[in-house]
Amino acid sequence: MEEQSHLMQTLSGVTLAGHPVALPVPHDGTDARNKQDIGDILHQIMTITDQSLDEAQAKKHGLNCHRMKPALFSVLCEIKEKTGLSIRGSQDEDPPDPQLMRLDNMLLAEGVSGPEKGGGAAAVAVATAAVGVGADNSIEHSDYRAKLSQIRQIYHTELEKYEQACNEFTTHVMNLLREQSRTRPISPKEIERMVNIIHRKFSSIQMQLKQSTCEAVMILRSRFLDARRKRRNFSKQATEILNEYFYSHLSNPYPSEEAKEELAKKCAITVSQGKGSTITVSQVSNWFGNKRIRYKKNIGKFQEEANLYAAKTAVTAAQAVAAAVQNSQTNSPATPSSGFQMKDEDFQLDAAEDKNNLLNNMFTGSSGSYSLPGSGDMFMSMSGLNGSYQPAQVPSTGQTQGDSIRHAIGQSLGYSDGLRGNPLYSPHGLNGNGGWHDAVTPSSVTSPIEGANSVHSDTSN
DNA sequence: AATTATGATTCACG
DNA sequence: CGTGAATCATAATT
């Protein structure tokens, strides 16, 4: 208390007096001298705000102009280096984040981060054209590509934006640091480190961009390219072709690689001018795989179809026969005595279907057995034509035309094997366990016949 | 909405 | 590797 009041007094007195900073007054009384000291300090404190701007600036300038300044700064920098800052600086950049690598690789693979291909529709056109012969699922493909290039565009613009922002920020910071380096010790190394930090930050942002781009691409991919998701049924014609082959090779429905190619090509041709995507060999394989297993699993369900296609091939064969006959032998009647007309295809098919229905009515009940008695007289007649069967039941195939007709059939039918005994009526291909595979050598029923008259245009294909 | 048809995929086998 | 079998996922049908 006492002191404080003193202090206040002195303070007020000094202040009011407006004395400049006073030197300690040589006075013998210690009390007085202490007072004087305190008064000085307080005075300094009180006036520091007034003096600061001008004088401090002046001092600073003085210091800056000091000849030792650069040396001192460099020393300070070194000290800074060797203390805390350098610790963190040691684990610098290099480790190229595997995650980022992965994303980069993927984007590259996906063609997103690669060189921009002109962009937009032009690129799409070029790309699909480049795919060329495939022309595959060009519809969906182009759609996919359009979306992909969209993604790519967004990605690139974003990337560029980030790049630009990064550069701007970096230069800004660098300018700032350079500016400050005049007033405080900042080593070039430090600046560099700062830049690195900035770049890291930005690249982590970029990684997010890449991440989300990857996600988008993946989603797009699963939506468009995953054929499983976008299942398209084959066109009617394609399934017809495949079924034709299948049922005419029922005894051994394993098309060779070439046969598959041919079938695929055929489907492509039939479907060429339309919506249906062309069918690839592997799709043919799939189809046959599915068909085999499903046929075997439930033959009853496929009987109608089988009969239909058998009749169909028979009809086409018959038409071919008719043509051949007309071409070659003028005097013999085009219609053998098999009992069905071959002029009007529609009628033929209808008739076949009627027969099939009849067959189904008769035999669908008997589920387990896949051997039907020879009741499809149309087909039997054709079998007779082909010479696979010599049944007394349908005898009347004109013997006069035998060879030429056989020839005609062999040439006109794409697949000739079938007429040698359609398994519908004698499914030799299927052994008791329901296997086809070991029936490469057709079982008892067919083999002797084959030996008898070998009309194997099958191999000619 | 439930069911069937169908193309594709997966897995084990030889 | 090509198959058969089981399964998935979607199209088509009821």
Side-chain angles (χ1 to χ4, degrees):
Chain A
M1 267 307 191
E2 177 77 5
E3 253 202 341
Q4 199 170 38
S5 64
H6 259 302
L7 197 141
M8 290 305 261
Q9 270 181 352
T10 332
L11 182 75
S12 56
V14 168
T15 311
L16 286 175
H19 269 301
V21 182
L23 292 173
V25 179
H27 211 311
D28 50 358
T30 47
D31 194 26
R33 209 188 56 206
N34 278 349
K35 262 193 202 168
Q36 189 60 45
D37 281 353
I38 292 171
D40 281 352
I41 293 169
L42 284 173
H43 179 248
Q44 283 187 43
I45 290 174
M46 293 310 288
T47 55
I48 194 157
T49 47
D50 295 335
Q51 78 173 150
S52 64
L53 278 183
D54 291 345
E55 293 190 25
Q57 211 65 32
K59 278 185 186 168
K60 242 168 70 178
H61 185 69
L63 283 174
N64 277 335
C65 294
H66 196 283
R67 61 193 174 84
M68 291 295 282
K69 182 215 163 194
L72 283 173
F73 263 32
S74 70
V75 168
L76 282 173
C77 283
E78 209 170 316
I79 291 173
K80 264 171 88 174
E81 284 294 326
K82 291 192 171 163
T83 52
L85 283 177
S86 58
I87 294 170
R88 194 191 45 189
S90 60
Q91 47 110 31
D92 249 358
E93 42 197 316
D94 253 7
D97 191 357
Q99 176 83 4
L100 185 70
M101 291 269 291
R102 244 193 28 197
L103 290 178
D104 269 338
N105 282 340
M106 178 180 162
L107 288 176
L108 203 64
E110 223 54 53
V112 173
S113 62
E116 182 87 41
K117 300 186 216 163
V124 171
V126 169
T128 45
V131 172
V133 190
D136 254 356
N137 14 35
S138 63
I139 307 280
E140 303 205 2
H141 239 86
S142 69
D143 204 357
Y144 168 77
R145 281 175 180 280
K147 289 266 204 289
L148 187 69
S149 82
Q150 203 177 323
I151 288 178
R152 187 173 48 209
Q153 198 172 346
I154 292 174
Y155 170 77
H156 274 121
T157 55
E158 287 297 306
L159 202 64
E160 203 157 330
K161 246 194 282 183
Y162 288 166
E163 202 90 29
Q164 195 179 340
C166 180
N167 284 339
E168 269 176 28
F169 190 69
T170 304
T171 54
H172 181 245
V173 167
M174 266 169 56
N175 285 340
L176 220 62
L177 287 179
R178 257 201 286 275
E179 185 91 17
Q180 292 195 350
S181 73
R182 276 185 304 191
T183 59
R184 70 187 179 95
I186 296 176
S187 68
K189 225 177 172 179
E190 212 179 325
I191 292 179
E192 189 189 332
R193 222 174 4 242
M194 204 63 177
V195 169
N196 274 339
I197 289 172
I198 293 170
H199 281 175
R200 261 208 292 280
K201 290 282 180 217
F202 269 90
S203 79
S204 85
I205 295 175
Q206 275 188 14
M207 193 157 106
Q208 283 180 3
L209 171 69
K210 286 175 181 176
Q211 176 100 40
S212 54
T213 305
C214 270
E215 268 171 35
V217 170
M218 288 312 274
I219 290 172
L220 185 71
R221 220 178 149 69
S222 68
R223 279 267 285 293
F224 280 84
L225 284 193
D226 193 351
R228 187 179 181 142
R229 278 186 104 71
K230 212 62 174 185
R231 209 200 87 222
R232 303 290 316 155
N233 285 354
F234 293 164
S235 69
K236 208 74 188 158
Q237 295 120 313
T239 43
E240 294 231 337
I241 290 169
L242 294 171
N243 270 319
E244 239 170 79
Y245 187 98
F246 181 79
Y247 286 111
S248 57
H249 289 70
L250 244 192
S251 57
N252 188 33
Y254 295 86
S256 64
E257 197 59 28
E258 300 87 53
K260 283 179 196 168
E261 275 170 34
E262 200 158 325
L263 282 169
K265 211 188 302 174
K266 229 173 183 122
C267 292
I269 292 170
T270 337
V271 141
S272 59
Q273 25 60 310
K275 32 180 182 115
S277 52
T278 76
I279 294 173
T280 68
V281 172
S282 86
Q283 280 178 300
V284 172
S285 297
N286 284 339
W287 191 91
F288 272 90
N290 284 323
K291 192 73 184 180
R292 279 191 300 262
I293 192 72
R294 282 162 184 162
Y295 177 84
K296 201 172 73 177
K297 230 171 180 165
N298 186 355
I299 292 181
K301 208 167 65 181
F302 288 90
Q303 274 172 8
E304 183 179 358
E305 200 179 49
N307 289 339
L308 194 144
Y309 280 100
K312 249 189 178 164
T313 55
V315 168
T316 51
Q319 285 173 339
V321 169
V325 166
Q326 276 181 356
N327 280 351
S328 59
Q329 290 186 338
T330 47
N331 60 352
S332 63
T335 314
S337 48
S338 51
F340 67 95
Q341 317 288 319
M342 24 180 122
K343 312 240 162 129
D344 184 358
E345 190 179 349
D346 288 336
F347 166 70
Q348 290 298 332
L349 290 179
D350 287 344
E353 264 180 307
D354 285 343
K355 280 192 170 64
N356 290 331
N357 288 338
L358 203 78
L359 273 179
N360 283 329
N361 289 340
M362 292 169 75
F363 296 106
T364 33
S366 64
S367 55
S369 71
Y370 34 65
S371 63
L372 282 176
S375 51
D377 50 355
M378 263 186 3
F379 178 76
M380 289 311 277
S381 71
M382 290 316 293
S383 292
L385 260 181
N386 201 19
S388 296
Y389 275 120
Q390 318 94 308
Q393 316 148 335
V394 189
S396 50
T397 314
Q399 303 97 332
T400 52
Q401 305 147 333
D403 274 337
S404 65
I405 287 174
R406 257 182 244 140
H407 228 75
I409 292 170
Q411 286 172 343
S412 64
L413 275 185
Y415 334 101
S416 58
D417 165 60
L419 292 181
R420 132 172 73 104
N422 192 310
L424 223 198
Y425 309 103
S426 54
H428 5 283
L430 291 169
N431 62 24
N433 299 333
W436 261 303
H437 231 163
D438 42 60
V440 178
T441 324
S443 53
S444 54
V445 187
T446 19
S447 39
I449 296 169
E450 276 183 3
N453 37 9
S454 51
V455 190
H456 269 271
S457 44
D458 195 7
T459 51
S460 72
N461 266 359

